[in-house]
Structure formats: structure tokens, C-alpha cells
Amino acid sequence: MPRIAYFGPQGTFTEQAARTFGDADLVAVETVPLVLAAVRSGEVDSGCVPIENSVGGAVTATMDALAEDEPLIAVAECVLPVRFSILVRPGTRAEDVKTVASHPHALTQVHDWIAANLPNATPVASTSTSSAAVLVQDGEFDAAVCAPVAVTHYSLETLATDVADVDNAVTRFLLVSRPTRVPEPTGADRTSLAVVIAHAEPGSLASTLSELALRGINLTRIESRPLRGQIGEYRFYLDLDGHIGEERVAGALAALHRNSNQVRFLGSYPKADQSPSVPSAKNTDDDYQAARDWVRRMREGR
């Protein structure tokens, strides 16, 4: 049975996401960088990590850890709706709660609910939603904002559940592995990249994005993170519709590799919502093949 490390401890949304990738031996790991380190070392076959939330934004720990050290690639993704439970020690009432702990992304998503329902509580950041449950269980804090599954792992009770400020909030997770042969395109794929551009050259970001636009590639996400120890220099994280096995995407990646300071391929994988990644007009594989055939005929004088 494959071994999947996930951002733990037990009872996190990441555990729930890992379970969607099929039967596996799940291994809880304390931090995102340690999850990826376990994959790189071969201790596990793959790792499940959060990459972005529709309320809190990008998970920067994941972005940074994917861009550094040995390359890893995403092979699948999962999108989970995010509804929380408020867990407390048995007998704790809402008016007793003076501190409420959770991961910063979780606290962002229940800020208004806490203000309205736990007016005496001070939010406190923890390393994960489940580590907050452990701290409440140990008596360090009064309440934890957790994934509903957490109540099955800890000696706590549910003060409230189905909690969220935004009803349709979701988190996207990636399943990553050591580099391997990329599966064939499905027609509903996403490709992820980390690109360091030549920042001193005017228009370098526009030139980078134009390589996608010229090939009719839809850019679905762009985030920037500073390069460690280099003020004013940034790495850009791109998600785009399409698969490296398609002519248009392969051509764009080749152009970025030629013109950028660094490009790290982070994977081509099926989209969780299975929405088609349809090439625009004149950008299908057949169009590229026809163009190459025409050039060859011109060279041959035919």
C-alpha cells in the first residue's frame, strides 16, 4: 500500500484531502516542509499539502518548500469545502472561552463568527488546526478551530460545528511525488510552474506572460514570493490550463526556460473540477503539426 505523508497531526483538513487520493498508509507530519522532505528522502511515496484557500489565499509555506531543494511534482489535486468545528474541553461554555487557537488561515475564515459568538476570546495562531486541538486538550487554550474529523481523535467535545464566515470557502490541496514520467493529457489538466524572471530587464514579467498569451493559454493563478535573502527579487508561481504533453504548453515552457533566470516545473495533473482545458483557435496539436509540416515543405522546396 502506498505511503502518503500529510500536514498533520491527525484530524486536519489535509488528512481529509489525503484520503480522497485512494487507499494508502497515511503518515502525519508536523509541518509542510517536513512532509516534502519525507517525499524527497523516499521515506514515503507522496505527500499531501495545502496550496491555496479561497479566503486566506496562498499557503506560502508550501510554495516556498516546493521551489527549494530537490524538485518534486504535483500528480493530483483535491478541492475541499471548508467548514469548521469549535472544539473545547468537556463542560466548557461559550462564555468561558478566553482564547481560541488555530492555524492562521482557519482563524481568517471564522473571524466574524468568533467576534459574534465568542466575544471574550482572543485568537491565537498555531501550526495547524489539529495542533490547536492538542493545545486545548492539554489545557493551554480554551477552544480550537478544527476540521470536523478532529473530534474523533481528541478528548474534546464540539461547542459548534458547520462554522464559516464564507459559505462556499474551499481549500486546494496537491499530492506531490518525486519526479516521474508525466501521465498523458486528459483534456482537463492544470500545469504549475515556479519562474524567476530577469527582474532588471524592463517588461520581463510582461514578456513572460506573453509567451502564454501568444499560444492561447489561460493563466488561472499567479503569485509572487521574494527570493530568500535577495531583496527586490521575486519568484512567480503560475497555474495554467493545459498539460506539458500538449504542443502549446510545451512550447511556452521551452520559451520560458530560454528567457527566464530559472523555471521549475511543478507538474501537469488533472484538475479537481474536471473543467476542460480547451486550446484556443489555431493552438491545437494538429495546428502545430500542420505548421511544422508547412515549414518542412518550404525548406525542401516543395
Side-chain angles (χ1 to χ4, degrees):
M1 185 176 292
R3 286 167 57 82
I4 299 178
Y6 68 90
F7 176 35
Q10 288 182 317
T12 60
F13 282 103
T14 314
E15 178 189 351
Q16 290 185 218
R19 294 185 181 280
T20 70
F21 296 120
D23 292 337
D25 179 13
L26 300 184
V27 181
V29 180
E30 291 180 356
T31 68
V32 167
L34 289 177
V35 170
L36 301 185
V39 180
R40 290 182 172 113
S41 70
E43 179 183 343
V44 296
D45 299 292
S46 54
C48 182
V49 289
I51 187 68
E52 65 173 326
N53 174 266
S54 61
V55 176
V59 181
T60 56
T62 300
M63 294 165 60
D64 292 343
L66 284 173
E68 299 169 357
D69 298 323
E70 296 177 35
L72 297 172
I73 62 167
V75 296
E77 72 173 11
C78 166
V79 177
L80 287 183
V82 179
R83 310 289 293 182
F84 296 93
S85 289
I86 311 298
L87 303 187
V88 296
R89 291 182 297 279
T92 302
R93 302 168 300 172
E95 55 266 33
D96 301 326
V97 175
K98 300 297 189 292
T99 53
V100 55
S102 196
H103 188 276
H105 275 265
L107 292 173
T108 298
Q109 294 176 77
V110 297
H111 175 273
D112 294 345
W113 187 94
I114 290 173
N117 295 275
L118 302 174
N120 300 321
T122 299
V124 182
S126 62
T127 57
S128 72
T129 56
S130 285
S131 66
V134 172
L135 294 170
V136 172
Q137 184 174 260
D138 292 346
E140 294 191 37
F141 300 110
D142 299 321
V145 180
C146 298
V149 70
V151 75
T152 65
H153 293 297
Y154 304 103
S155 302
L156 301 172
E157 62 183 27
T158 302
L159 181 68
T161 195
D162 200 33
V163 172
D165 291 347
V166 179
D167 288 340
N168 58 351
V170 296
T171 296
R172 183 164 72 100
F173 300 84
L174 296 179
L175 184 70
V176 300
S177 72
R178 293 178 295 282
T180 185
R181 185 175 181 83
V182 178
E184 293 299 311
T186 67
D189 302 294
R190 191 188 317 278
T191 293
S192 296
L193 309 168
V195 182
V196 179
I197 63 174
H199 77 286
E201 297 178 12
S204 55
L205 178 57
S207 296
T208 296
L209 299 182
S210 70
E211 297 291 354
L212 306 179
L214 287 170
R215 294 168 176 85
I217 297 172
N218 183 37
L219 182 66
T220 60
R221 174 174 172 258
I222 180 170
E223 302 270 356
S224 64
R225 292 284 296 155
L227 294 181
R228 185 174 296 181
Q230 300 182 53
I231 194 75
E233 296 191 41
Y234 294 85
R235 177 180 287 111
F236 292 87
Y237 296 81
L238 310 179
D239 283 346
L240 52 96
D241 276 349
H243 189 284
I244 194 172
E246 298 175 70
E247 294 270 7
R248 62 195 177 108
V249 177
L253 267 58
L256 294 182
H257 184 270
R258 189 174 67 250
N259 296 316
S260 303
N261 287 352
Q262 182 190 77
V263 177
R264 175 167 286 197
F265 174 65
L266 299 178
S268 289
Y269 47 92
K271 291 190 283 188
D273 63 5
Q274 299 182 330
S275 60
S277 46
V278 180
S280 61
K282 303 301 182 182
N283 280 289
T284 68
D285 282 2
D286 288 344
D287 293 324
Y288 280 89
Q289 184 61 55
R292 280 198 302 271
D293 290 344
W294 178 82
V295 170
R296 187 183 69 253
R297 292 195 302 272
M298 296 305 100
R299 286 174 172 172
E300 295 171 353
R302 292 192 289 128

